[in-house]
């Protein structure tokens, strides 16, 4: 089967596959990731895993079409997002739900207005219909009581859940979450995981991609894992395969072991140390 | 043997900022055209009304305060200058023409740039660094249409109205010093205003305030929108620097445009 035939077959399925073909990503002349090749299966939860600053969010921004790769292709539902007509991609992106790191809710709008924003701006639905949809989506994340609150009146976890409600408002076939559990306490993080799993049950055709470095979360929710390190992919496969991997970095990452060697690179001179001690003791 | 001298860096040093300046000017022009093109799009009315409140109504007391003191100073200075020539009766005309032609549009624009313009830059800049603008984009909501176009329309409506307020209150300020404090005849003060002021003066002042509205809003929205590309800081520092440079650029734009428009209108 040729690549094109494969993409046409993929298009017939309701769930959106994401195919990354030899991607090279970066900013200006700086390469952040290269040789990134993998397929995120449609209708499953994929976790992009890796240490801080390894390019997870950069990869997500490219999948969203917010940045153009230096080279390579990204196929969404069998279509190359960087060669398809702009209008068509915009129509496609309208159906993607995105949860940004801190929710990225508009500070000037209430929670209800934030969640209803894509409907208010992109459709001609009546206010009463939008209000009902907003109430339903907020109830999915347990925030129906908070529709009239402003984002700055809510906790970080609530803002993330509200961001998730907004991401779900257009019934997206593809949901992308940038570190949905970062900054949350273990109970709230577990609740967010349960929320994603319950979404998966409610909408079986929804493809979910989540960027994370939270191992517990990845273990709980991920059907497929892509791990990044040293500017490239070091692992792609199922969660079970990840835990069976013999790769030394993967093992160290999973067992939360520090890199061997000195933690500090340089030492203070005795004069500087003495001066500092003198001021601290005063 | 002497090493070869390095070629003079002067032209290169001159060229880099020049290219950067032209690049930014072009980028601002495209930004403006993009915003103007999206003025007539659905759901803009409520956003325009909200922005008229922020730019216009919330600036009212500041404009009134600056207007009355400007008028009072003009009254004082004008009186002591005119009295030397025995023509203090012309004070009303001097105050009114100064305000309507020049000081009203210019000072109003500078005040609004400092108050509402800086707020615009800070708000859009914060939205940029907290992914809110990216969020709009992925929801297929054009950020320029959502954030900039309504502000431009609101400014075009609010600036001339605030300028009118500034002019009227300034004329009353001149009345306070000239008539109430220094004893010029009240009838003469208003008669001279009516006699000297033509519709051309009024429409010229309004034309200036419309031009200033577009320039100030452009400078402030652009600087906020591009806060993430700044090289002199990142995050909140970039927003702070963007706000400072937006207000400075607005002031420069207003004064430069004032000279150009005055030379055209005179």
């Amino acid at each position: 089967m040729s690549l094109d035939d494969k993409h046409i077959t993929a298009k017939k399925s309701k769930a959106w596959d994401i195919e990354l073909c030899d991607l090279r990503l970066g900013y200006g002349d700086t390469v952040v990731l290269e040789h990134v090749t993998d397929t995120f299966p449609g209708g499953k939860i994929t976790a992009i895993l890796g240490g801080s600053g390894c390019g997870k969010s950069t990869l997500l921004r490219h999948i969203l079409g917010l940045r153009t790769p230096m080279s390579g292709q990204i196929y969404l539902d069998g279509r190359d997002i960087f060669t398809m007509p702009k209008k068509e991609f915009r129509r496609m992106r309208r159906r993607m739900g995105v949860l940004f790191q801190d929710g990225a809710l508009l500070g000037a709008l209430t929670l209800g207005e934030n969640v209803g924003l894509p409907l208010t701006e992109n459709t001609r639905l009546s206010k009463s219909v939008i209000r009902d949809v907003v109430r339903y989506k907020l109830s999915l994340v347990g925030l129906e009581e908070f529709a009239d609150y402003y984002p700055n009146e809510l906790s970080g976890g609530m803002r993330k859940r509200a961001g998730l409600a907004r991401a779900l408002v257009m019934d997206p076939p593809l949901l992308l979450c940038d570190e949905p559990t970062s900054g949350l306490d273990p109970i709230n993080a577990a609740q967010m995981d349960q929320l994603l799993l319950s979404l998966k049950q409610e909408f079986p055709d929804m493809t979910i991609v989540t960027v994370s470095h939270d191992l517990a979360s990845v273990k709980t929710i991920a059907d497929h894992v892509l791990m990044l390190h040293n500017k490239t992919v070091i692992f792609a496969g199922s969660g079970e395969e990840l835990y069976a991997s013999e790769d030394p970095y993967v093992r160290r990452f999973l067992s939360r072991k520090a890199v061997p060697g000195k933690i500090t690179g340089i030492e203070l001179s005795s004069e500087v140390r003495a001066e500092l001690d003198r001021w601290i003791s005063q | 043997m002497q090493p070869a001298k390095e070629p003079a860096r002067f032209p290169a040093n001159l060229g880099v900022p020049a290219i950067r300046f032209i690049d930014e000017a072009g980028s601002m022009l495209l930004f403006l055209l993009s915003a103007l093109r999206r003025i007539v799009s659905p759901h803009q009315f409520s956003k325009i009304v909200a922005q008229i409140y922020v730019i216009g109504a919330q600036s009212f007391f500041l404009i009134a305060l600056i207007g009355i003191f400007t008028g009072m100073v003009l009254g004082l200075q004008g009186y002591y200058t005119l009295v030397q020539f025995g023509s203090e009766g012309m004070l009303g005309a001097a105050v009114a023409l100064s305000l309507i032609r020049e000081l009203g549009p210019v000072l109003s624009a500078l005040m609004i740039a400092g108050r509402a313009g800086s707020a615009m830059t800070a708000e859009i800049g914060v939205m940029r660094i907290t992914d809110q603008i990216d969020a709009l984009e992925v929801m297929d909501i054009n950020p320029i249409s959502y954030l900039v176009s309504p502000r431009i329309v609101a400014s075009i409506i609010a600036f001339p109205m605030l300028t009118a307020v500034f002019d009227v209150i300034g004329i009353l300020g001149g009345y306070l010093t000239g008539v109430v404090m220094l004893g010029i005849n009240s009838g003469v003060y208003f008669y001279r205003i009516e006699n000297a002021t033509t519709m051309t003066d009024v429409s010229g002042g309004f034309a200036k305030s419309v031009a200033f509205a577009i320039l100030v809003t452009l400078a402030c929205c652009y600087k906020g929108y591009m806060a993430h590309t700044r090289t002199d800081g990142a995050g909140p520092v970039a927003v702070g620097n963007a706000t400072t440079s937006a207000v400075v650029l607005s002031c420069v734009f207003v004064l430069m445009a004032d000279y150009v428009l005055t030379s055209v209108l005179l």
Side-chain angles (χ1 to χ4, degrees), chain B residues 21-156:
Chain B
F21 172 77
I22 292 166
D23 187 44
E24 184 148 22
S27 170
M28 278 181 98
L29 182 66
L30 292 176
F31 184 82
L32 176 65
L33 293 177
S34 173
L36 293 176
R37 202 158 59 89
R38 290 179 170 88
I39 281 175
V40 186
S41 52
H43 316 294
Q44 291 289 44
F45 183 72
S46 58
K47 284 174 233 153
I48 292 169
V49 172
Q51 287 304 321
I52 290 175
Y53 175 72
V54 173
I55 300 165
Q58 290 189 348
S59 302
F60 181 86
F61 287 106
L62 176 71
I63 290 295
L65 189 72
I66 302 297
I68 196 143
F69 282 105
T70 306
M72 286 168 76
V73 169
L74 277 178
L76 271 180
Q77 290 281 14
Y79 177 84
Y80 287 111
T81 309
L82 291 170
V83 84
Q84 293 178 45
F85 307 101
S87 44
E88 62 271 24
M90 295 299 289
L91 182 70
V95 170
L97 287 180
S98 311
L99 284 168
I100 292 168
R101 283 183 183 171
E102 282 300 327
L103 293 175
V106 171
L107 287 181
S108 307
L110 296 179
M111 287 301 119
I112 304 168
R115 206 206 72 83
S118 57
M120 265 182 226
T121 312
E123 186 183 341
I124 296 175
V126 167
M127 289 182 77
R128 170 61 82 187
I129 62 163
T130 55
D131 291 334
Q132 292 178 44
I133 291 181
D134 283 346
L136 286 174
E137 223 168 297
V138 296
M139 286 187 277
D140 195 25
I141 299 167
N142 188 298
I144 293 180
S145 167
Y146 187 83
L147 296 170
V148 184
S149 303
R151 283 175 165 85
I152 288 183
V153 178
S155 294
I156 289 173

Side-chain angles (χ1 to χ4, degrees), chain A residues 99-105 111 138 140-143 146 150-166 178-193 195:
Chain A
L99 167 60
F100 284 87
Q101 255 185 49
D102 194 34
L105 299 169
L111 227 55
L138 281 174
L140 284 179
V141 297
L143 288 175
F146 296 89
Y150 284 91
N152 64 353
E153 296 170 322
L154 303 173
S155 69
M158 289 164 103
R159 276 203 296 272
K160 284 205 179 189
R161 273 150 60 199
L164 186 59
R166 188 178 65 185
D178 193 355
E179 310 219 2
T181 56
S182 76
L184 299 184
D185 63 75
I187 294 169
N188 271 314
Q191 263 175 352
M192 181 59 89
D193 289 343
L195 205 55

Side-chain angles (χ1 to χ4, degrees), chain A residues 52-260:
Chain A
S52 302
C54 71
K56 304 183 295 285
S57 299
T58 303
L59 177 57
L60 199 71
R61 278 168 191 275
H62 281 79
I63 295 172
L64 283 168
L66 291 172
R67 292 197 162 268
T68 314
M70 291 164 150
S71 64
Q73 291 86 37
I74 297 175
Y75 292 95
L76 217 60
D77 194 27
R79 311 279 310 275
D80 182 347
I81 62 169
F82 296 106
T83 56
M84 74 165 72
K86 261 191 177 175
K87 250 190 181 171
E88 230 169 286
F89 177 60
R90 279 184 48 198
R91 217 174 13 238
M92 206 169 192
R93 192 158 65 179
R94 195 180 284 192
R95 303 224 40 223
M96 293 183 206
V98 185
L99 167 60
F100 284 87
Q101 255 185 49
D102 194 34
L105 299 169
L106 272 63
L109 305 182
T110 63
L111 227 55
E113 288 166 340
N114 261 294
V115 173
L117 191 63
L119 297 175
T120 319
E121 292 292 317
N122 294 329
T123 68
R124 291 183 184 198
L125 291 171
S126 69
K127 278 185 180 171
S128 62
V129 172
I130 293 177
R131 201 174 42 240
D132 287 351
V133 174
V134 166
R135 204 178 325 140
Y136 166 64
K137 297 293 175 180
L138 281 174
S139 73
L140 284 179
V141 297
L143 288 175
E144 65 271 33
E145 309 281 307
F146 296 89
D148 295 326
Y149 283 60
Y150 284 91
N152 64 353
E153 296 170 322
L154 303 173
S155 69
M158 289 164 103
R159 276 203 296 272
K160 284 205 179 189
R161 273 150 60 199
L164 186 59
R166 188 178 65 185
L168 293 171
V169 82
M170 299 291 272
D171 289 340
L174 173 61
L175 176 67
L176 300 138
C177 307
D178 193 355
E179 310 219 2
T181 56
S182 76
L184 299 184
D185 63 75
I187 294 169
N188 271 314
Q191 263 175 352
M192 181 59 89
D193 289 343
Q194 284 311 312
L195 205 55
L196 290 174
L197 286 172
S198 64
L199 283 174
K200 191 74 224 52
Q201 275 179 344
E202 185 122 343
F203 310 102
D205 283 330
M206 187 190 280
T207 305
I208 301 177
V209 178
T210 168
V211 159
S212 184
H213 48 219
D214 180 347
L215 287 172
S217 169
V218 170
K219 197 172 182 180
T220 312
I221 63 170
D223 302 307
H224 180 79
V225 180
L226 177 80
M227 191 164 183
L228 307 173
H229 178 60
N230 263 349
K231 297 188 177 181
T232 193
V233 176
I234 58 161
F235 174 84
S238 68
E240 293 80 33
E241 286 166 347
L242 176 78
Y243 278 87
S245 171
E246 291 300 320
D247 183 286
Y249 180 79
V250 175
R251 299 265 24 112
R252 201 179 306 135
F253 195 94
L254 295 177
S255 54
R256 298 186 78 236
K257 278 194 181 144
V259 180

